[in-house]
Amino acid sequence: MRKPIIAGNWKLNKTVEESIALVEDIKVKIMDFDKDQIPTVIVSPVFTSLKSVADILEHGQGIYLGAQDCYWEDSGAFTGEVSVPMLKDICVTYIIAGHSERRQYFGETDEAVNLKAKAILAHGLIPIICCGETLGQREAGQTDEVVKNQVTVDLKDLAEEQIAKSVIAYEPVWAIGTGKTCESREANRVIKLIRDTVAEISSRDAADKIRILYGGSVKPSTIEEQMSQSDIDGALVGGASLKAEDFVQLIKGTMLIRTSK
Ligand code: PGA
C-alpha cells in the first residue's frame, strides 16, 4: 500500500521566528498520533527558515523537511541559486520541482524540471514534481494532453526505481489559491491518467509505487472525500498549511480514511 502524504508548501510566507512557532505547534498537536497510521508529513518553509526548522525536527517527530525549489548544478557561478547537496546538508528530504508558480512567474520549463528531478534523485532526495493545466487549457479540452506531456518530459530518462520513489503533485493551476477545488472524482481521473502515463514510460510496478498527490485549495472540509478516491495518495497544500489547526485537521482526515479503506 502507498503511504499517504500531507505536504505543506508555505510559499513566500513566514519569518524564521514564525516558521519555528508554526512547526512547534504542529509537532505538539500530532505528538500522540498513532505512528502506524500517520501519513508522511512534510513542511516546506522558505529557504531562510529551513535550517532553524531542521534543528527543531532533528529530534525526530516524524515531520520531514521539504524545500520549495533547487538548482540542478551542485555549485558554481549561479548567483541566487541553492543546490541539492546544500539542502541535503541541512536535512531536507523532499524538494518541490516545477510548481506552477515557478512555471508561471519564473519561466520554469519541463526540461528544467527534469534536470532538477535528476539532481534531486542523484543525491538520494525525493522530488515532488508538480504538473497541471491552466483554466484556458481545461476549457479548451486539453487537460489530458497537457498533463501527459508534462509528466513525460519531467520524468525523462529517470530509472524505474527513481520514478517509483518520486512523488507527483497534480495541481490544476485554476484551483491553486482560488478556493475552487477540482471535483474529487475528476482529480482522481487525471491522477489515474498520470499513473497510466508512468506505466507507459516506465513500468506498471513504478506506476503502482509512485505517490501522486492532489493540490489546489485543499481544506479540512475536502480532504476526506479526496482521500477516499482510489488513486489520490495525499495532498500538497498551500493556504491551509499555514495554520497548525487546519494542517493537523488534514493529517487527521487522511488517517480517518486510510483506516476505513
Ligand atoms: P493552495 O496551494 O492550497 O493554497 O491552493 C496549493 C499549492 O500551490 O501547492
Side-chain angles (χ1 to χ4, degrees):
M1 198 169 91
R2 296 183 295 266
K3 190 173 167 70
I5 295 178
I6 293 294
N9 171 13
W10 295 1
K11 308 192 181 183
L12 184 55
N13 291 292
K14 301 206 180 281
T15 60
V16 173
E17 202 181 321
E18 289 165 348
S19 302
I20 292 172
L22 177 55
V23 88
E24 291 278 22
D25 203 1
I26 297 168
K27 245 173 73 170
V28 169
K29 286 186 163 65
I30 67 170
M31 206 157 54
D32 297 330
F33 285 13
D34 184 339
K35 297 281 172 279
D36 296 329
Q37 298 297 333
I38 194 164
T40 300
V41 176
I42 305 167
V43 292
S44 317
V46 291
F47 284 127
T48 47
S49 293
L50 278 174
K51 177 73 173 90
S52 308
V53 171
D55 289 342
I56 304 175
L57 299 181
E58 240 172 22
H59 310 293
Q61 289 294 328
I63 301 176
Y64 291 89
L65 192 59
Q68 298 177 19
D69 190 25
C70 67
Y71 192 57
W72 56 83
E73 295 289 349
D74 288 357
S75 61
F78 304 103
T79 303
E81 296 296 328
V82 175
S83 74
V84 181
M86 290 166 185
L87 294 168
K88 187 176 181 175
D89 189 38
I90 55 163
C91 300
V92 165
T93 307
Y94 291 84
I95 304 180
I96 300 171
H99 189 280
S100 67
E101 285 150 16
R102 297 225 51 91
R103 294 176 187 260
Q104 195 177 342
Y105 305 130
F106 305 100
E108 191 153 314
T109 61
D110 285 308
E111 287 70 22
V113 177
N114 179 242
L115 288 170
K116 290 180 184 190
K118 282 180 183 156
I120 295 165
L121 287 157
H123 288 285
L125 276 67
I126 303 172
I128 301 178
I129 300 163
C130 301
C131 63
E133 79 288 357
T134 63
L135 184 59
Q137 289 165 335
R138 174 159 284 264
E139 285 175 350
Q142 296 165 346
T143 299
D144 295 10
E145 187 193 331
V146 166
V147 170
K148 248 185 123 154
N149 285 343
Q150 286 177 329
V151 171
T152 304
V153 180
D154 296 348
L155 300 181
K156 193 166 181 280
D157 298 330
L158 291 181
E160 194 182 325
E161 66 276 9
Q162 289 183 315
I163 293 181
K165 67 177 277 205
S166 297
V167 177
I168 294 178
Y170 168 57
E171 300 203 305
V173 180
W174 50 271
I176 296 178
T178 58
K180 280 188 221 157
T181 331
C182 179
E183 204 268 315
S184 299
R185 271 178 311 175
E186 171 59 9
N188 194 54
R189 185 192 69 77
V190 181
I191 286 177
K192 250 180 148 111
L193 175 92
I194 294 171
R195 209 177 288 290
D196 289 341
T197 306
V198 171
E200 262 172 49
I201 61 178
S202 183
S203 71
R204 186 32 74 182
D205 188 49
D208 286 340
K209 286 186 179 143
I210 192 169
R211 288 180 289 176
I212 312 181
L213 317 180
Y214 168 76
S217 299
V218 171
K219 328 178 233 310
S221 59
T222 63
I223 191 71
E224 287 179 39
E225 194 189 305
Q226 285 154 345
M227 285 308 298
S228 60
Q229 303 295 318
S230 62
D231 281 72
I232 301 184
D233 299 322
L236 180 57
V237 190
S241 73
L242 294 172
K243 283 200 202 119
E245 192 60 49
D246 287 351
F247 192 60
V248 170
Q249 283 303 324
L250 298 176
I251 297 168
K252 271 191 193 156
T254 305
M255 291 168 76
L256 275 177
I257 295 304
R258 281 290 144 159
T259 44
S260 62
K261 244 185 183 177

